[in-house]
Amino acid sequence: MTQIFDNPADFADEALDGFVAANRGYVARVDGGVVRSTEVPAGQVALVVGGGSGHYPAFAGLVGPGLATASACGNMFASPAAGQVYRVAKVANAGGGVLLSYGNYAGDVLHFGQAQLRLNAEGIETRTVLVTDDIASAPLDQIEKRRGIAGDLTVFKIAGAAAEAGLNLDDVERLAIRTNYRTRSLGVAFDGCTLPGAEAPLFSVPPGHMSLGLGIHGEPGISDHPMPTASELADLLVSKLLADKPDDAGTRVVAIVNGLGTVKYDELFLLYGKIEKLLTAAGLTVVEPECGELVTSLDMSGLSLTLLWLDEELEQYWAAPADTPAFRKGNLASRARRELAGPEAEEAADVERPTPAAAALGRLAVELLGQVRDVVVEHEEELGRLDAIAGDGDHGIGMRRGVDAAVAAARQAAANDGGASVARILTVAGEAWSERAGGTSGALWGSAVIAAGLALGNRDSYSGEDAAAAVTAFTDAITALGKAEPGDKTMVDALLPFRDAFLTAFDAGTPVAASLAAAAASATAAADRTAELRPLKGRARPLAEKSLGHPDPGAVSFALIATRISAHISPTGTRLVNPEPAEQGAQA
Ligand SMILES: Nc1ncnc2c1ncn2[C@@H]1O[C@H](COP(=O)(O)OP(=O)(O)O)[C@@H](O)[C@H]1O
Ligand SMILES: O=C(COP(=O)(O)O)[C@@H](O)CO
C-alpha cells in the first residue's frame, strides 16, 4: 500500500520535489522533470530518459555523469507529456544532439515522438532508441513490440557511458540499439501494487502462486503458477532467458536481479547466487552484475532477471564509471555545479479577435467540456477497473486529469474580454489535456480536441458542414497519431463507427443534433462489441486473453463522452450551428 501523501493527485510531483531536495548535488528540477545539476561538457550528447513515476530509481535516480543527462517525469505510471519531454530536452542539450530513450509503451512513444519532431524542427538533432527487453510481452520475431522493463538500465548505462566518453550521436545511438537487441528480461510477481489513494491493488496473485511475465505498471502477469522454491525460480528465469538469446550471443553476460518494490535485498541476493551458478554451469561468464532495486513498480512484490549479452565494445561502456543518486560505479572526476537558466518565457499568444459566432460556439465548447468532465468523474472508478483487467488501471485517473486541465484552460481563455473563438478554446483545452494527462489517451484526446478546434476556426458563421468537418478532423487526428486499425481493440473501434454514423445521417439530411445522437448510439454499441476483440495495440496487447470478454476502456470512455455530449446538445441542437447571438448560418 502506498500511504504517505497529502493528496494522491500530487503524489508524483511532491515525491519528485523531495527527491531533488535530497539530491541537489546531482539533479536540478526543471519544468517537466530533472536535469543534471553539474556541468555537462559542451558538445556532449544529451541522453534524455523518462517515463511515468512510480519506478524509482528509474528514471530520475539515473541522472548523473556517466548515465542520463536528464529525465522527463510523468505522473504515476503515465508517460510524461510531449511538452515536458521537449522542455527537459531543451535544457539538457549541450550542443551534441539528444538521444531519447525509454520503455516501449504507447503513451511514451506518442509523447516522446511528438517532442522529437519539435526538437528536430528547431534544429536540435534528436534520435530515439526504445527499450524492448521483456520477453513475456511478445515473441522474439516481434521484438520491436516488446515492452521495456529492467533492461532500461543496460541501454541507458551504455548510451550514457558512450556519451560521457565523447562519442557522437550516431555512435551513441548505434550502441544503445545494439544494447537493446542484446538485452532480455523476464519478471515474476507475488502480489500487485497499489496506486496512491487507491483502495485495492491493480491486480492480485492467488495465494501460494506466482504470476509470470508481469508488467511494471501493475499489469498482471501472463500466467499464474504455484509458488516455486528459490532454486526452481532461478532455473525458470535462467532457462527462459537462455532460450531467447540473440544469435550472436557470445559467452559474457551482465546479469541483473531487479527487485520490483517489496522483495527484500536478502531474498534478491539469495536468488542471485543461484542464478549465477546456473549461468556459470551454462558456460557463461557473468560480468559486473547488479542486484537491487533498479526499475520498480511502487509496492509490487516481484522481481525480474535481465541478461545483457556483451561484446567487447558494450563491455567497455557497461564497466565505465557512473555517478547518479541511485547508481554508482567506479570513480569519476567531480564536476562543478552549473547555473541553469530559468525556463524560457512562453511567447505571448497572438491576441485574437473572435467573431461573435466563433465566440458563441466557444462558450458552447466550454459548456460541453464541463459535461465531458462530469461524465468522466462519474465513471472514473469504473474506467480504472476496466483498465486494470489487462492494463495499468489508470485510464479513469488519466482522463480525469486531462479533462480537469482542459476545462480550467478553456474557462480561463473564455474569460478574456470578448471571449475566445471556438478554435482558441479547443486549442488551449487540447494542449492542457495532453500536458496534464500524459499517457496514451492524453496524447490522443489532446491532439483530437485541438484538431476539432482548428477545423471550426474563427468564422463569421457556422453551418452543419463545419460540425461534420470537426468530427472528421477529430477522428483523423486520432488515427494519424495512434495508427490503430479497426479491430485492434482501442478507442478507434468506437470512434470510426461514431464518425461513419454521423456522416451517414448528416449527408442524408439529418440535422446535426440528431446525427450526433445516432453517432453516439453507434459508438456505444461498438464500444460494447470491443469485448469480443483481442487487443493488438496499447498496454493491454500482451494480456490479450485476460482482456477477452471485457470492453476496451478507451472505447468505453469515448462512447460515454459522445453520449453525454449528444444528450446535452439534443434539446438545444440549433445552438450548434446557429450560435447566439449571431443568428446566421444553416439551421440544425
Ligand atoms: N494506438 C492507439 N490508437 C488509439 N487508441 C489507443 C491506442 N493505444 C491505446 N489506445 C487507447 O488508449 C486506452 C488507454 O488509455 P490510457 O489508460 O491513457 O493509456 P496507457 O495505456 O498509456 O495508460 C486504451 O483503452 C485504448 O482505447
Ligand atoms: O507508465 C509509463 C508509460 O506508460 P503509458 O501509460 O503508455 O503512458 C512509463 O512508466 C513507462 O516508461
Side-chain angles (χ1 to χ4, degrees):
M1 202 79 181
T2 310
Q3 43 206 349
I4 299 178
F5 49 78
D6 292 337
N7 177 355
D10 299 331
F11 187 93
D13 275 341
E14 293 198 356
L16 191 63
D17 288 342
F19 161 73
V20 173
N23 290 283
R24 287 197 186 91
Y26 287 98
V27 288
R29 187 85 154 91
V30 289
D31 188 4
V34 299
V35 295
R36 280 188 213 167
S37 58
T38 53
E39 289 291 350
V40 179
Q44 185 174 102
V45 172
L47 172 65
V48 177
V49 302
S53 297
H55 304 300
Y56 190 83
F59 299 89
L62 302 176
V63 172
L67 233 157
T69 318
S71 167
C73 305
N75 226 303
M76 303 309 295
F77 291 173
S79 65
Q84 289 181 271
V85 179
Y86 164 80
R87 292 190 296 276
V88 169
K90 282 267 281 196
V91 182
N93 175 37
V98 174
L99 181 69
L100 301 174
S101 190
Y102 49 91
N104 183 25
Y105 295 95
D108 292 288
V109 171
L110 293 178
H111 287 283
F112 278 82
Q114 286 179 314
Q116 177 174 357
L117 289 175
R118 200 168 157 192
L119 291 161
N120 276 323
E122 287 184 17
I124 300 176
E125 190 165 3
T126 303
R127 315 264 176 86
T128 290
V129 176
L130 294 178
V131 182
T132 59
D133 57 311
D134 179 11
I135 70 165
S137 54
L140 185 52
D141 60 359
Q142 295 172 31
I143 190 169
E144 73 291 343
K145 288 194 180 157
R146 288 180 170 176
R147 58 193 176 192
I149 52 174
D152 283 338
L153 179 70
T154 61
V155 178
F156 300 169
K157 170 68 184 71
I158 284 175
E164 196 66 44
L167 269 59
N168 64 23
L169 187 56
D170 284 343
D171 284 332
V172 174
E173 180 191 27
R174 173 181 62 80
L175 285 164
I177 291 172
R178 178 136 38 101
T179 307
N180 182 54
Y181 275 99
R182 296 172 75 93
T183 299
R184 306 281 191 272
S185 300
L186 181 61
V188 292
F190 315 113
D191 216 345
C193 57
T194 309
L195 285 165
E199 278 167 15
L202 287 166
F203 71 98
S204 51
V205 180
H209 283 69
M210 166 189 91
S211 196
L212 179 68
L214 66 138
I216 56 166
H217 304 91
E219 305 94 325
I222 310 289
S223 53
D224 291 337
H225 304 263
M227 184 67 198
T229 62
S231 297
E232 286 164 352
L233 178 55
D235 199 36
L236 175 80
L237 293 172
V238 168
S239 58
K240 291 219 178 276
L241 290 188
L242 292 189
D244 199 282
K245 70 180 176 186
D247 289 341
D248 53 349
T251 59
R252 293 175 72 77
V253 286
V254 171
I256 300 172
V257 170
N258 172 54
L260 277 150
T262 54
V263 179
K264 298 306 299 175
Y265 269 67
D266 312 61
E267 294 175 280
L268 298 177
F269 288 135
L270 185 153
L271 187 69
Y272 175 76
K274 293 178 184 297
I275 285 171
E276 195 184 90
K277 284 200 183 89
L278 290 170
L279 293 172
T280 308
L284 300 170
T285 304
V286 180
V287 179
E288 303 203 16
E290 289 291 334
C291 187
E293 292 189 353
L294 296 153
V295 180
T296 63
S297 182
L298 284 172
D299 58 338
M300 165 124 62
S301 173
L303 56 89
S304 60
L305 174 63
T306 297
L307 295 181
L308 161 61
W309 299 86
L310 292 167
D311 60 21
E312 222 171 278
E313 202 179 12
L314 298 189
E315 186 164 339
Q316 173 195 343
Y317 293 111
W318 174 254
D323 188 20
T324 79
F327 189 89
R328 294 170 199 171
K329 206 176 179 56
N331 290 312
L332 268 170
S334 65
R335 290 275 163 76
R337 292 286 290 273
R338 65 169 169 159
E339 287 303 316
L340 282 164
E344 284 172 32
E346 292 277 332
E347 277 178 37
D350 288 344
V351 182
E352 69 153 10
R353 286 174 185 276
T355 64
L361 209 47
R363 285 194 294 281
L364 178 60
V366 175
E367 195 179 308
L368 292 177
L369 281 166
Q371 292 294 317
V372 174
R373 187 184 53 190
D374 289 351
V375 73
V376 167
V377 171
E378 283 159 31
H379 294 271
E380 183 180 341
E381 279 184 27
E382 173 197 335
L383 294 172
R385 272 197 302 277
L386 213 46
D387 190 29
I389 292 168
D392 56 352
D394 69 351
H395 187 61
I397 301 172
M399 290 292 288
R400 164 88 190 254
R401 253 187 335 243
V403 76
D404 272 346
V407 168
R411 286 197 176 144
Q412 197 184 353
N416 281 341
D417 269 355
S421 70
V422 63
R424 174 139 183 81
I425 295 284
L426 291 182
T427 300
V428 298
E431 281 169 356
W433 190 318
S434 170
E435 178 78 26
R436 194 61 199 127
T440 311
S441 55
L444 296 173
W445 272 93
S447 63
V449 168
I450 293 171
L454 295 178
L456 290 168
N458 184 16
R459 310 221 167 90
D460 290 332
S461 66
Y462 288 93
S463 70
E465 297 298 336
D466 295 306
V471 166
T472 304
F474 183 97
T475 309
D476 289 352
I478 287 177
T479 51
L481 187 59
K483 299 188 178 60
E485 301 284 339
D488 282 353
K489 193 163 187 169
T490 71
M491 68 185 286
V492 165
D493 290 309
L495 176 64
L496 295 183
F498 172 89
R499 179 201 61 189
D500 294 346
F502 181 91
L503 294 179
T504 306
F506 180 72
D507 290 346
T510 312
V512 171
S515 300
L516 206 51
S522 178
T524 304
D528 289 346
R529 285 197 304 274
T530 61
E532 299 153 20
L533 299 172
R534 282 187 167 72
L536 298 175
K537 274 258 177 342
R539 182 57 64 75
R541 189 193 50 76
L543 294 156
E545 297 308 317
K546 287 203 160 82
S547 157
L548 259 186
H550 305 279
D552 173 66
V556 170
S557 60
F558 173 78
L560 288 167
I561 290 170
T563 305
R564 178 62 61 95
I565 289 181
S566 157
H568 190 73
I569 274 185
S570 290
T572 56
T574 52
R575 293 169 62 202
L576 258 186
V577 297
N578 190 16
E580 309 124 5
E583 297 294 331
Q584 39 195 312
Q587 288 290 317

